[in-house]
Amino acid sequence: SVTSYTLPTCALLDAALGNAKVGSAFDFSVVNVDGSGSGVITLATATGWTLVGLMTVAATAGTAQAFRARKTGDAAWSLYRIA
């Protein structure tokens, strides 16, 4: 089945990362463990995000997709698909 993961709001992310400055970034990966042909994972936006690129992870067990989150302002982040 298609699964959607919603990012936290950027205000919540700012609160969790209290020392993050504009330009700060972190990378993370999402691994798909569903081997069915319909097991696509989609990252969904929340308040404050700008999404750049395709926000999906293929429906193949063990497939990983890397993303980079970069702070662009107060309660504002961009998410990039990177590899």
Side-chain angles (χ1 to χ4, degrees):
S1 66
V2 176
T3 301
S4 181
Y5 296 148
T6 302
L7 301 167
T9 67
C10 290
L12 288 173
L13 187 59
D14 280 354
L17 304 173
N19 293 327
K21 306 290 184 228
V22 171
S24 297
F26 63 90
D27 296 346
F28 66 94
S29 295
V30 176
V31 179
N32 195 338
V33 296
D34 184 349
S36 72
S38 63
V40 173
I41 296 172
T42 300
L43 294 182
T45 189
T47 303
W49 284 98
T50 299
L51 304 179
V52 181
L54 188 61
M55 294 292 133
T56 59
V57 181
T60 304
T63 299
Q65 182 59 59
F67 298 92
R68 176 168 294 142
R70 185 176 62 84
K71 184 173 176 66
T72 58
D74 289 336
W77 289 73
S78 289
L79 184 66
Y80 305 89
R81 180 180 168 129
I82 56 174

